[in-house]
Amino acid sequence: MSNIVVVGTQWGDEGKGKIIDCLTEGAEVVARSQGGHNAGHTVYVNGKKFILHLIPSGILHQDKLCIIGNGVVINPKALIEEIDDLTSNNIKVGDNLKISKNAHVIMPYHEALDGKKELTMGSKKIGTTGRGIGPTYMDKASRNGIRMSDLLWPDLFKEKLNANLYEVNITLERLYNAPPFDVDAIFEQYMKYKDRIESYLADVTVLMDDCIKSRKKILYEGAQGTLLDIDHGTYPYVTSSNASVGGAMSGLGVGPKCVDEIYGVTKAYTTRVGGGPFPTELLDETGQRLQQTGSEFGATTGRARRCGWLDLVVLKHSRRVNSLTGLVITKLDILDGFKKIQVCTGYKYKNSVLTDFPSEISILENCTPVYEEFDGWDKPVLGIKEFGNLPNKAHDYIKMIEDRVNVPVVIVSTGQSREDIIFKGINK
Ligand code: GDP
Ligand code: IMO
Ligand code: MG
């Protein structure tokens, strides 16, 4: 296996966790580079369901080094809970997990500010996961964020906390009429977290460099999806990090020459959680069928995911901004039984048809999808493991995606478990 970046090509929840799990066998290192516990990556192992939020999905395989990079934002409480949860399920989390000292820390006030801001936005709210992701990245960008390494320097940490809370408490009390936070209470709590987490902290750029020099196979596990990327997504209805390939590099301190392949995980249809435009959204029975059959409920918040047909305009945009070298099609089995399948090939906007994803949200909000209809397949693909055993019409669907997006399909996922997978164009 080569060094592979795995990104989501849509609005997240494409099945990245499952694909990372399937590719981990051939890797030695699995690294997360951005996002935080807003992510929910589901993996089924021997029928048991695991949802990873912060820790790379590779942790479920023995003897793989798992790395959390500087680009990730970490809620120590959520991290400790995840470690404890895995450990209680006999999954080793020890020296196989390393966390960047430069990763920023999510504080309780970030979560409070996330919630309050959303409340004031009314119908324009983003529909965040409420995990404090945006406010933490805001502090990082305005250079007053707290990094994991700050927890190792208690006096410095308290000084920063004091300075931050001065402003935060004014905002909470005066703007939101909400209770302020107490410096000492947070300080004591976070010192306890530090005791639990300290042994995992490392200089991750040095570690990554060592892995690269010793030619270890590295899997880069993206979180969220390209359309949620802060630069390339449907801004402002996005998350606050670069969920496309660039984030994988800056979030771990490596350069693009260290990567061989960039795989875009793509659901055979489209889903989105939270607010924002979604041209192919189906508010009818078909949308409900996709939602029910696909069990489309958020792995982090439990919210129902909005569902719609596959959107090739989105995929071409993702191909472009990620330089994709391979596509991974997931949840093909959810289209089993559909006689006809619609695929969006362009957006009607005023008197023209757009085939490039519009960069302005005000245009996107007024686009209607142009569909092309394809035949469904006559027997189920669920659980099929050989490409040759897929029905002809499923072959046609995959070939159509390859041709239209101009990227080869390298993996097809036909069910939720590890075994339901077809490696088409690659060696594991
Ligand atoms: P992620 O955030 O990209 O890792 O995706 P999620 O875990 O949030 O959501 C994907 C959901 O689809 C999970 O419940 C997976 O178990 C499930 N899943 C992944 N691949 C397949 C597949 O090929 N078929 C079916 N039926 N379920 C799948
Ligand atoms: P994974 O890695 C799907 C969405 C939220 C919201 C927007 C901003 O599991 O694919 P945030 O809390 O990040 O400020 O919310 O982004 N969102 C996701 N949607 N999958 C995710 O992660 C997501 N992480 C954030 O629903 O619309
Ligand atoms: Mg998810």
Side-chain angles (χ1 to χ4, degrees):
M1 195 191 85
S2 3
N3 297 305
I4 303 173
V5 179
V6 173
V7 293
T9 61
Q10 296 154 321
W11 279 278
D13 301 329
E14 297 90 348
K16 298 175 293 295
K18 174 189 163 165
I19 298 307
I20 289 287
D21 178 62
C22 291
L23 288 170
T24 296
E25 211 179 303
E28 286 149 297
V29 181
V30 186
R32 267 281 304 267
S33 51
Q34 43 72 229
H37 67 314
N38 50 349
H41 296 178
T42 315
V43 180
Y44 281 86
V45 185
N46 301 327
K48 191 168 170 47
K49 182 179 184 175
F50 292 89
I51 301 179
L52 286 310
H53 298 285
L54 271 167
I55 299 179
S57 305
I59 201 81
L60 301 178
H61 290 251
Q62 267 186 7
D63 305 324
K64 308 289 176 181
L65 178 61
C66 290
I67 297 179
I68 298 179
N70 54 278
V72 177
V73 288
I74 299 174
N75 177 326
K77 182 169 182 279
L79 175 69
I80 292 166
E81 280 170 7
E82 200 166 324
I83 292 172
D84 289 346
D85 190 40
L86 287 166
T87 313
S88 69
N89 280 291
N90 297 321
I91 308 290
K92 177 188 158 188
V93 188
D95 57 5
N96 53 341
L97 176 68
K98 296 290 172 203
I99 300 171
S100 170
K101 287 184 180 177
N102 285 1
H104 279 248
V105 184
I106 300 182
M107 309 299 292
Y109 50 84
H110 290 133
E111 207 173 282
L113 289 169
D114 191 355
K116 294 292 172 200
K117 177 103 194 276
E118 283 279 277
L119 275 180
T120 60
M121 289 170 81
S123 65
K124 293 249 183 263
K125 73 174 182 183
I126 309 290
T128 72
T129 57
R131 302 294 191 263
I133 305 294
T136 308
Y137 280 117
M138 269 169 72
D139 275 358
K140 174 177 176 176
S142 46
R143 290 152 298 178
N144 56 291
I146 290 170
R147 290 168 150 192
M148 293 303 270
S149 60
D150 291 327
L151 303 180
L152 305 176
W153 303 87
D155 293 345
L156 182 73
F157 172 53
K158 200 164 198 179
E159 203 179 295
K160 288 192 176 184
L161 195 55
N162 246 314
N164 286 352
L165 275 183
Y166 173 72
E167 268 188 53
V168 165
N169 282 341
I170 290 176
T171 309
L172 283 172
E173 288 185 293
R174 299 208 192 148
L175 193 61
Y176 297 125
N177 202 17
F181 282 92
D182 177 58
V183 173
D184 292 329
I186 297 184
F187 178 78
E188 273 164 38
Q189 187 63 62
Y190 274 64
M191 284 299 100
K192 286 189 192 139
Y193 294 150
K194 186 258 305 178
D195 292 341
R196 279 292 313 274
I197 291 171
E198 193 171 359
S199 62
Y200 301 106
L201 298 185
D203 186 336
V204 157
T205 63
V206 173
L207 192 59
M208 287 296 291
D209 193 44
D210 288 345
C211 293
I212 289 162
K213 281 193 292 211
S214 55
R215 297 185 168 279
K216 293 219 162 84
K217 300 287 179 208
I218 305 172
L219 256 183
Y220 297 82
E221 178 173 352
Q224 288 80 55
T226 303
L227 274 292
L228 288 172
D229 182 286
I230 185 135
D231 286 295
H232 302 295
T234 45
Y235 191 90
Y237 298 97
V238 291
T239 190
S240 301
S241 66
N242 283 116
S244 54
V245 67
M249 305 289 91
S250 62
L252 282 153
V254 298
K257 286 207 162 182
C258 301
V259 169
D260 304 300
E261 304 289 347
I262 303 153
Y263 289 173
V265 184
T266 305
K267 224 175 248 188
Y269 48 100
T270 314
T271 63
R272 167 162 213 178
V273 207
F278 176 3
T280 63
E281 181 172 19
L282 295 167
L283 299 168
D284 57 7
E285 278 169 17
T286 310
Q288 274 171 22
R289 174 170 167 186
L290 288 170
Q291 209 237 322
Q292 292 303 320
T293 321
S295 306
E296 295 295 354
F297 295 93
T300 295
T301 59
R303 289 178 292 177
R305 295 173 182 153
R306 302 154 65 192
C307 297
W309 294 119
L310 188 71
D311 186 338
L312 294 175
V313 186
V314 161
L315 295 191
K316 286 178 184 172
H317 174 72
S318 283
R319 199 256 329 136
R320 199 164 43 237
V321 300
N322 289 299
S323 304
L324 294 179
T325 64
L327 282 172
V328 176
I329 306 298
T330 60
K331 302 191 97 162
L332 193 65
D333 53 297
I334 304 304
L335 296 181
D336 281 350
F338 275 97
K339 289 213 159 27
K340 296 286 176 192
I341 298 168
Q342 312 284 330
V343 173
C344 170
T345 55
Y347 296 154
K348 191 162 187 318
Y349 176 70
K350 294 189 174 163
N351 291 325
S352 58
V353 174
L354 310 178
T355 49
D356 289 328
F357 195 75
S359 55
E360 287 143 281
I361 198 95
S362 48
I363 296 181
L364 185 64
E365 279 168 341
N366 290 297
C367 285
T368 46
V370 177
Y371 285 117
E372 216 172 299
E373 192 173 80
F374 296 86
D375 289 337
W377 32 94
D378 49 3
K379 62 173 180 107
V381 304
L382 177 66
I384 290 183
K385 294 164 184 62
E386 296 291 331
F387 192 72
N389 291 344
L390 288 174
N392 287 344
K393 296 290 179 189
H395 280 164
D396 293 348
Y397 190 65
I398 290 166
K399 179 88 172 54
M400 176 276 296
I401 298 172
E402 274 185 334
D403 290 347
R404 305 289 177 100
V405 185
N406 201 17
V407 178
V409 170
V410 289
I411 299 175
V412 180
S413 173
T414 56
Q416 64 187 15
S417 73
R418 234 179 216 178
E419 294 73 30
D420 301 333
I421 192 121
I422 300 169
F423 289 92
K424 183 172 169 263
I426 54 162
N427 297 320
K428 285 207 260 182

